[in-house]
Amino acid sequence: MNNTFLSIELDNTLLETTTYLEKLVENLIDKGTLLGWSIIKAAIIFIAGRFLISLLNKIIRRILDRRNIDPSIKTFTKSLVNVVLTVMLIVSIIGVLGIPTTSFAALIGSAVVTIGLALSGNLSNFAGGILILLFKPFRVGDYIETSSIGGTVKEIQIFHTIINTSDNKTIYAPNGSLSSGIVTNYNVMPTRRVEWIFGIEYGEDYEKVKAILYKLIANDTRVLSNPLPFIALKQLDASSVNIVVRAWVKREDYWGVYFEMNKHIYETFNKEGISFPFPQLTIHKAPPSLPEGEELKK
């Protein structure tokens, strides 16, 4: 009797376990199927979304290029639109995967506060980009210098400004430091002053040198007549007489005039027999030593 009862109990337990496992497997299959479809839909949305973002970026780029808009604003707008569209795509994918977007939005809000405190520098860079666009200390295409870098501005993005140096290096400079630091812009004014300092030996005829310098400057048509060139004796140095020459040129002629004038002056001074100085040290021979107790006779 007892054996029969135990057999019935085991059968019932085995049946309940089998039924539970069947329901569990069916539930897992259903959820797996739903998850699989969700992943497939998310993948399709991701691919389609990336295609649409690329297409919209091209359309916006064409619209901006057709209009007479500052290139700095164009690059900033393109960067900002790309970031916004990418965030929208991520939110859409999260919604398809079944994650509640409302709770996700709340999570994003708290995460933004936390990340904002940790990445306050990037927020200042974003604000710096806005300030650069509003006050325009420089634009795309300008040659600028800071305390540590110098180059031509290629793009102004939402966090960084892309600068190409004269030796073809690409620098990503934070907008925050550019908007709050010292920046020298060489493209604002249409003219620049070129300055040379030439050293001649003591004993050379200063008036002759001055006349030669005025003649060389007058022969260069790129040198502007207003303001007038300026030549003066700058300094009586230890081994040279230094003459300063200042002339005004168009901004784009600055380096050409500077280097070519150095060459012309070197050649002309050599032809005219004007000597360039070099450091010299004069050594005087000491008087002969006297026997102890004797003094040098006057």
Coordinates of all heavy atoms in Angstrom, one line a residue, residues 16-85:
E16 N 4.4 17.2 -12.8 CA 4.4 18.6 -12.5 C 5.7 19.3 -13.0 O 5.7 20.4 -13.6 CB 4.2 18.9 -11.0 CG 2.8 18.6 -10.5 CD 2.7 18.8 -9.0 OE1 3.7 19.1 -8.4 OE2 1.6 18.6 -8.5
T17 N 6.8 18.5 -12.7 CA 8.1 19.1 -13.1 C 8.2 19.1 -14.6 O 8.7 20.1 -15.2 CB 9.3 18.2 -12.6 OG1 9.2 18.1 -11.2 CG2 10.6 18.7 -13.0
T18 N 7.7 18.1 -15.3 CA 7.8 18.1 -16.8 C 6.9 19.2 -17.3 O 7.3 19.9 -18.3 CB 7.3 16.7 -17.3 OG1 8.0 15.7 -16.7 CG2 7.3 16.7 -18.8
T19 N 5.7 19.4 -16.7 CA 4.8 20.5 -17.2 C 5.5 21.9 -17.0 O 5.5 22.7 -17.9 CB 3.5 20.4 -16.4 OG1 2.9 19.1 -16.6 CG2 2.6 21.5 -17.0
Y20 N 6.2 22.0 -15.8 CA 6.8 23.3 -15.5 C 8.0 23.6 -16.5 O 8.1 24.7 -17.0 CB 7.3 23.3 -14.1 CG 8.2 24.5 -13.7 CD1 7.6 25.7 -13.5 CD2 9.6 24.4 -13.7 CE1 8.3 26.8 -13.1 CE2 10.3 25.5 -13.4 CZ 9.7 26.7 -13.1 OH 10.4 27.8 -12.8
L21 N 8.8 22.5 -16.8 CA 9.9 22.7 -17.7 C 9.4 23.0 -19.1 O 10.0 23.8 -19.9 CB 10.7 21.4 -17.7 CG 11.6 21.2 -16.5 CD1 12.3 19.8 -16.6 CD2 12.6 22.3 -16.3
E22 N 8.3 22.3 -19.5 CA 7.7 22.6 -20.9 C 7.3 24.1 -21.0 O 7.5 24.7 -22.0 CB 6.5 21.7 -21.1 CG 6.9 20.2 -21.4 CD 5.7 19.3 -21.6 OE1 4.6 19.8 -21.4 OE2 5.9 18.1 -21.9
K23 N 6.6 24.5 -19.9 CA 6.1 25.9 -19.9 C 7.3 26.9 -20.0 O 7.3 27.9 -20.6 CB 5.2 26.2 -18.7 CG 3.9 25.6 -18.8 CD 3.1 25.9 -17.6 CE 1.7 25.3 -17.6 NZ 0.9 25.6 -16.4
L24 N 8.4 26.5 -19.2 CA 9.6 27.4 -19.1 C 10.3 27.4 -20.5 O 10.7 28.5 -20.9 CB 10.5 26.8 -18.1 CG 11.9 27.6 -17.9 CD1 11.6 29.0 -17.4 CD2 12.8 26.9 -16.9
V25 N 10.4 26.3 -21.1 CA 11.0 26.3 -22.4 C 10.2 27.0 -23.5 O 10.7 27.8 -24.3 CB 11.2 24.8 -22.9 CG1 11.7 24.7 -24.4 CG2 12.2 24.1 -22.0
E26 N 8.8 26.8 -23.4 CA 8.0 27.6 -24.3 C 8.1 29.1 -24.1 O 8.1 29.9 -25.0 CB 6.5 27.2 -24.1 CG 6.2 25.7 -24.6 CD 4.8 25.3 -24.4 OE1 4.0 26.2 -23.7 OE2 4.4 24.2 -24.7
N27 N 8.1 29.5 -22.8 CA 8.3 30.9 -22.5 C 9.6 31.4 -23.0 O 9.7 32.5 -23.5 CB 8.2 31.1 -20.9 CG 8.1 32.5 -20.5 OD1 7.7 33.4 -21.3 ND2 8.4 32.8 -19.3
L28 N 10.7 30.6 -22.8 CA 12.0 31.1 -23.3 C 12.0 31.2 -24.8 O 12.6 32.1 -25.4 CB 13.1 30.1 -22.8 CG 13.4 30.1 -21.3 CD1 14.4 29.0 -21.0 CD2 14.0 31.5 -20.9
I29 N 11.4 30.2 -25.4 CA 11.3 30.3 -26.9 C 10.6 31.5 -27.4 O 11.0 32.2 -28.3 CB 10.7 29.0 -27.5 CG1 11.6 27.8 -27.2 CG2 10.4 29.1 -29.0 CD1 11.0 26.5 -27.6
D30 N 9.4 31.8 -26.7 CA 8.6 33.0 -27.1 C 9.4 34.3 -26.9 O 9.5 35.1 -27.7 CB 7.3 33.0 -26.3 CG 6.4 31.9 -26.6 OD1 6.5 31.4 -27.7 OD2 5.5 31.5 -25.8
K31 N 10.1 34.3 -25.7 CA 10.8 35.6 -25.4 C 12.0 35.7 -26.3 O 12.4 36.7 -26.8 CB 11.3 35.6 -23.9 CG 10.1 35.8 -23.0 CD 10.6 35.9 -21.5 CE 9.5 36.3 -20.6 NZ 9.9 36.4 -19.2
G32 N 12.7 34.5 -26.6 CA 13.8 34.5 -27.5 C 13.4 34.9 -28.9 O 14.2 35.7 -29.5
T33 N 12.2 34.4 -29.3 CA 11.7 34.8 -30.6 C 11.5 36.3 -30.7 O 11.9 37.0 -31.6 CB 10.4 34.1 -31.0 OG1 10.7 32.7 -30.9 CG2 10.0 34.4 -32.4
L34 N 10.8 36.8 -29.6 CA 10.6 38.3 -29.6 C 11.9 39.1 -29.5 O 12.0 40.1 -30.2 CB 9.7 38.6 -28.4 CG 8.2 38.1 -28.4 CD1 7.6 38.4 -27.1 CD2 7.5 38.8 -29.5
L35 N 12.8 38.6 -28.7 CA 14.1 39.3 -28.6 C 14.8 39.3 -29.9 O 15.4 40.2 -30.4 CB 14.9 38.7 -27.5 CG 16.3 39.3 -27.3 CD1 16.2 40.8 -26.9 CD2 17.1 38.5 -26.2
G36 N 14.7 38.1 -30.6 CA 15.4 38.0 -31.9 C 14.8 38.9 -32.9 O 15.6 39.6 -33.6
W37 N 13.5 39.0 -32.9 CA 12.8 39.9 -33.9 C 13.2 41.4 -33.5 O 13.4 42.2 -34.4 CB 11.3 39.8 -33.8 CG 10.9 38.6 -34.7 CD1 10.3 37.5 -34.3 CD2 10.9 38.6 -36.1 NE1 10.0 36.7 -35.4 CE2 10.4 37.3 -36.5 CE3 11.4 39.4 -37.1 CZ2 10.3 36.9 -37.9 CZ3 11.3 39.1 -38.4 CH2 10.8 37.8 -38.8
S38 N 13.3 41.6 -32.2 CA 13.6 43.0 -31.7 C 15.0 43.4 -32.2 O 15.3 44.5 -32.6 CB 13.5 43.1 -30.2 OG 12.2 42.9 -29.8
I39 N 15.9 42.4 -32.0 CA 17.3 42.6 -32.4 C 17.4 42.8 -33.9 O 18.1 43.7 -34.4 CB 18.2 41.5 -32.0 CG1 18.3 41.4 -30.5 CG2 19.6 41.6 -32.6 CD1 19.1 40.2 -29.9
I40 N 16.7 42.0 -34.7 CA 16.6 42.2 -36.2 C 16.1 43.6 -36.5 O 16.7 44.3 -37.4 CB 15.8 41.1 -36.8 CG1 16.5 39.7 -36.6 CG2 15.6 41.3 -38.3 CD1 15.7 38.5 -37.1
K41 N 15.0 44.0 -35.9 CA 14.4 45.3 -36.2 C 15.3 46.4 -35.8 O 15.5 47.4 -36.5 CB 13.0 45.4 -35.5 CG 11.9 44.6 -36.1 CD 10.6 45.0 -35.5 CE 10.5 44.5 -34.0 NZ 9.1 44.7 -33.5
A42 N 16.0 46.2 -34.6 CA 17.0 47.2 -34.2 C 18.1 47.4 -35.2 O 18.6 48.5 -35.5 CB 17.5 46.9 -32.8
A43 N 18.6 46.2 -35.7 CA 19.7 46.2 -36.7 C 19.2 46.9 -38.0 O 20.0 47.7 -38.6 CB 20.1 44.8 -37.0
I44 N 18.0 46.6 -38.4 CA 17.5 47.3 -39.6 C 17.3 48.8 -39.4 O 17.7 49.6 -40.3 CB 16.1 46.6 -40.0 CG1 16.3 45.2 -40.4 CG2 15.4 47.5 -41.1 CD1 15.0 44.5 -40.6
I45 N 16.8 49.2 -38.2 CA 16.7 50.6 -37.9 C 18.1 51.3 -37.9 O 18.2 52.4 -38.4 CB 15.9 50.8 -36.6 CG1 14.5 50.4 -36.8 CG2 16.0 52.2 -36.1 CD1 13.7 50.4 -35.5
F46 N 19.1 50.6 -37.3 CA 20.4 51.1 -37.2 C 21.0 51.4 -38.6 O 21.5 52.5 -38.9 CB 21.3 50.2 -36.4 CG 22.7 50.6 -36.4 CD1 23.2 51.7 -35.6 CD2 23.7 50.0 -37.2 CE1 24.5 52.1 -35.6 CE2 25.0 50.4 -37.2 CZ 25.4 51.5 -36.4
I47 N 20.8 50.4 -39.5 CA 21.4 50.5 -40.9 C 20.7 51.6 -41.6 O 21.3 52.5 -42.3 CB 21.3 49.2 -41.6 CG1 22.2 48.1 -40.9 CG2 21.7 49.3 -43.1 CD1 22.0 46.7 -41.5
A48 N 19.3 51.5 -41.5 CA 18.5 52.6 -42.2 C 18.8 54.0 -41.6 O 18.9 55.0 -42.4 CB 17.0 52.2 -42.2
G49 N 18.9 54.0 -40.3 CA 19.2 55.3 -39.6 C 20.5 55.9 -40.0 O 20.6 57.1 -40.3
R50 N 21.5 55.1 -40.1 CA 22.8 55.6 -40.5 C 22.8 56.1 -42.0 O 23.4 57.1 -42.3 CB 23.9 54.5 -40.4 CG 24.2 54.0 -39.0 CD 24.7 55.2 -38.1 NE 25.9 55.8 -38.7 CZ 26.4 56.9 -38.3 NH1 25.9 57.6 -37.3 NH2 27.5 57.4 -38.8
F51 N 22.0 55.4 -42.8 CA 21.9 55.8 -44.2 C 21.2 57.2 -44.3 O 21.6 58.1 -45.0 CB 21.1 54.8 -45.0 CG 20.8 55.2 -46.4 CD1 21.8 55.2 -47.4 CD2 19.5 55.6 -46.7 CE1 21.5 55.6 -48.7 CE2 19.2 56.0 -48.0 CZ 20.2 56.0 -49.0
L52 N 20.1 57.3 -43.5 CA 19.3 58.5 -43.5 C 20.1 59.7 -42.9 O 20.1 60.8 -43.4 CB 18.0 58.4 -42.7 CG 16.9 57.5 -43.3 CD1 15.8 57.3 -42.3 CD2 16.4 58.1 -44.6
I53 N 20.9 59.4 -41.8 CA 21.7 60.4 -41.2 C 22.8 60.9 -42.2 O 23.0 62.1 -42.4 CB 22.4 59.9 -40.0 CG1 21.4 59.8 -38.8 CG2 23.6 60.9 -39.5 CD1 22.0 59.1 -37.6
S54 N 23.4 60.0 -42.9 CA 24.4 60.4 -44.0 C 23.7 61.2 -45.1 O 24.2 62.2 -45.5 CB 25.0 59.1 -44.6 OG 25.9 59.4 -45.6
L55 N 22.4 60.8 -45.5 CA 21.7 61.5 -46.5 C 21.3 62.9 -46.1 O 21.5 63.9 -46.8 CB 20.5 60.7 -46.9 CG 19.6 61.3 -48.0 CD1 20.4 61.4 -49.3 CD2 18.3 60.5 -48.2
L56 N 20.8 63.0 -44.8 CA 20.4 64.3 -44.3 C 21.7 65.2 -44.1 O 21.6 66.4 -44.3 CB 19.7 64.1 -42.9 CG 18.3 63.5 -43.0 CD1 17.8 63.3 -41.6 CD2 17.4 64.5 -43.7
N57 N 22.8 64.7 -43.7 CA 24.0 65.5 -43.6 C 24.4 66.0 -44.9 O 24.8 67.2 -45.0 CB 25.1 64.6 -43.0 CG 25.0 64.5 -41.5 OD1 24.5 65.3 -40.8 ND2 25.5 63.4 -41.0
K58 N 24.3 65.2 -46.0 CA 24.6 65.7 -47.3 C 23.7 66.8 -47.8 O 24.1 67.8 -48.4 CB 24.6 64.5 -48.3 CG 25.7 63.5 -48.1 CD 25.6 62.4 -49.2 CE 26.8 61.4 -49.0 NZ 26.7 60.3 -49.9
I59 N 22.4 66.6 -47.5 CA 21.4 67.6 -47.9 C 21.6 68.9 -47.1 O 21.6 70.0 -47.8 CB 20.0 67.1 -47.6 CG1 19.6 65.9 -48.5 CG2 18.9 68.2 -47.8 CD1 18.3 65.2 -48.2
I60 N 21.9 68.8 -45.8 CA 22.1 70.0 -45.0 C 23.4 70.7 -45.5 O 23.5 71.9 -45.6 CB 22.2 69.7 -43.5 CG1 20.8 69.3 -43.0 CG2 22.7 70.9 -42.7 CD1 20.8 68.7 -41.6
R61 N 24.4 69.9 -45.8 CA 25.7 70.4 -46.3 C 25.5 71.2 -47.6 O 26.1 72.3 -47.8 CB 26.7 69.3 -46.5 CG 28.1 69.8 -46.7 CD 29.1 68.6 -46.8 NE 29.1 67.9 -45.6 CZ 28.7 66.6 -45.4 NH1 28.2 66.0 -46.5 NH2 28.8 66.0 -44.3
R62 N 24.7 70.6 -48.5 CA 24.4 71.3 -49.8 C 23.7 72.6 -49.6 O 24.0 73.6 -50.2 CB 23.6 70.4 -50.7 CG 24.5 69.2 -51.2 CD 23.6 68.2 -52.0 NE 24.3 67.1 -52.5 CZ 23.8 66.0 -53.1 NH1 22.4 66.0 -53.3 NH2 24.5 65.0 -53.5
I63 N 22.7 72.6 -48.7 CA 21.9 73.8 -48.4 C 22.8 74.9 -47.9 O 22.7 76.0 -48.3 CB 20.7 73.5 -47.5 CG1 19.7 72.5 -48.2 CG2 20.0 74.7 -47.0 CD1 18.6 72.0 -47.2
L64 N 23.6 74.5 -46.9 CA 24.5 75.5 -46.3 C 25.5 76.0 -47.3 O 25.9 77.2 -47.3 CB 25.3 74.9 -45.1 CG 24.4 74.5 -43.9 CD1 25.2 73.8 -42.8 CD2 23.7 75.8 -43.3
D65 N 26.0 75.1 -48.2 CA 27.0 75.6 -49.2 C 26.4 76.5 -50.2 O 27.1 77.4 -50.8 CB 27.6 74.3 -49.9 CG 28.5 73.5 -48.9 OD1 29.0 74.1 -47.9 OD2 28.8 72.3 -49.2
R66 N 25.1 76.3 -50.5 CA 24.5 77.2 -51.5 C 24.3 78.6 -51.0 O 24.2 79.6 -51.7 CB 23.2 76.6 -52.0 CG 23.3 75.3 -52.8 CD 22.0 74.7 -53.1 NE 22.1 73.5 -53.8 CZ 21.1 72.6 -54.1 NH1 19.9 72.9 -53.6 NH2 21.3 71.5 -54.7
R67 N 24.1 78.7 -49.7 CA 23.8 80.0 -49.1 C 25.1 80.7 -48.7 O 26.1 80.1 -48.4 CB 22.9 79.8 -47.9 CG 21.6 79.2 -48.2 CD 20.7 79.0 -47.0 NE 19.4 78.4 -47.4 CZ 18.4 79.1 -47.8 NH1 18.4 80.4 -47.9 NH2 17.2 78.5 -48.1
N68 N 25.0 82.0 -48.6 CA 26.2 82.8 -48.2 C 26.3 82.9 -46.7 O 26.0 83.9 -46.1 CB 26.1 84.2 -48.8 CG 27.3 85.0 -48.7 OD1 28.4 84.5 -48.4 ND2 27.2 86.3 -48.7
I69 N 26.8 81.8 -46.1 CA 26.9 81.7 -44.7 C 28.3 81.6 -44.3 O 29.1 81.0 -45.0 CB 26.1 80.4 -44.2 CG1 24.6 80.6 -44.5 CG2 26.2 80.3 -42.7 CD1 23.8 79.3 -44.2
D70 N 28.7 82.1 -43.2 CA 30.1 82.1 -42.7 C 30.5 80.6 -42.6 O 29.8 79.8 -42.0 CB 30.2 82.7 -41.3 CG 31.6 82.9 -40.9 OD1 32.3 81.9 -40.8 OD2 32.0 84.1 -40.6
P71 N 31.7 80.3 -43.2 CA 32.2 78.9 -43.1 C 32.3 78.3 -41.7 O 32.1 77.1 -41.4 CB 33.6 78.9 -43.8 CG 33.5 80.1 -44.7 CD 32.6 81.1 -44.0
S72 N 32.6 79.2 -40.7 CA 32.6 78.8 -39.3 C 31.3 78.3 -38.8 O 31.2 77.2 -38.2 CB 33.1 79.9 -38.4 OG 34.3 80.5 -38.9
I73 N 30.2 79.0 -39.2 CA 28.9 78.5 -38.8 C 28.5 77.2 -39.5 O 27.8 76.4 -38.9 CB 27.8 79.6 -39.1 CG1 28.2 80.9 -38.3 CG2 26.4 79.2 -38.8 CD1 27.3 82.1 -38.6
K74 N 28.9 77.1 -40.8 CA 28.6 75.9 -41.5 C 29.2 74.7 -40.8 O 28.5 73.7 -40.6 CB 29.2 76.0 -42.9 CG 28.5 77.0 -43.8 CD 29.1 77.0 -45.2 CE 28.5 78.0 -46.1 NZ 29.1 78.0 -47.5
T75 N 30.5 74.7 -40.5 CA 31.1 73.5 -39.9 C 30.6 73.2 -38.5 O 30.4 72.1 -38.2 CB 32.7 73.8 -39.8 OG1 32.9 75.0 -39.0 CG2 33.3 73.9 -41.1
F76 N 30.2 74.3 -37.7 CA 29.7 74.1 -36.4 C 28.3 73.4 -36.5 O 27.9 72.5 -35.8 CB 29.6 75.4 -35.7 CG 29.1 75.3 -34.2 CD1 30.1 75.1 -33.2 CD2 27.8 75.3 -33.9 CE1 29.7 75.0 -31.9 CE2 27.4 75.2 -32.6 CZ 28.3 75.0 -31.6
T77 N 27.5 73.9 -37.5 CA 26.1 73.4 -37.7 C 26.1 72.0 -38.1 O 25.4 71.1 -37.7 CB 25.3 74.3 -38.7 OG1 25.3 75.6 -38.3 CG2 23.9 73.8 -38.9
K78 N 27.0 71.6 -39.1 CA 27.1 70.2 -39.5 C 27.5 69.3 -38.4 O 26.9 68.2 -38.3 CB 28.2 70.2 -40.6 CG 27.9 70.9 -41.9 CD 29.1 70.9 -42.8 CE 28.8 71.8 -44.1 NZ 30.0 71.9 -44.9
S79 N 28.4 69.7 -37.6 CA 28.8 68.9 -36.4 C 27.7 68.7 -35.4 O 27.4 67.6 -35.0 CB 30.0 69.5 -35.7 OG 30.4 68.7 -34.6
L80 N 26.9 69.8 -35.2 CA 25.8 69.7 -34.2 C 24.7 68.9 -34.7 O 24.1 68.0 -34.0 CB 25.4 71.2 -33.9 CG 24.2 71.3 -32.9 CD1 24.6 70.7 -31.5 CD2 23.8 72.7 -32.8
V81 N 24.3 69.0 -36.0 CA 23.2 68.2 -36.6 C 23.6 66.7 -36.6 O 22.7 65.9 -36.2 CB 23.0 68.7 -38.0 CG1 22.1 67.7 -38.8 CG2 22.3 70.1 -38.0
N82 N 24.8 66.4 -36.8 CA 25.2 65.0 -36.8 C 25.1 64.4 -35.4 O 24.6 63.2 -35.3 CB 26.7 64.9 -37.3 CG 27.1 63.4 -37.5 OD1 26.5 62.7 -38.2 ND2 28.2 63.1 -36.8
V83 N 25.5 65.1 -34.4 CA 25.4 64.6 -33.0 C 23.9 64.5 -32.6 O 23.5 63.4 -32.1 CB 26.1 65.6 -32.1 CG1 25.8 65.2 -30.6 CG2 27.6 65.6 -32.3
V84 N 23.1 65.4 -33.0 CA 21.6 65.3 -32.6 C 21.0 64.1 -33.3 O 20.2 63.4 -32.7 CB 20.9 66.7 -33.0 CG1 19.4 66.5 -32.8 CG2 21.4 67.8 -32.1
L85 N 21.2 64.0 -34.6 CA 20.6 62.8 -35.3 C 21.1 61.5 -34.8 O 20.3 60.5 -34.7 CB 20.9 63.0 -36.8 CG 20.3 64.1 -37.6 CD1 20.8 64.2 -39.0 CD2 18.8 64.0 -37.5

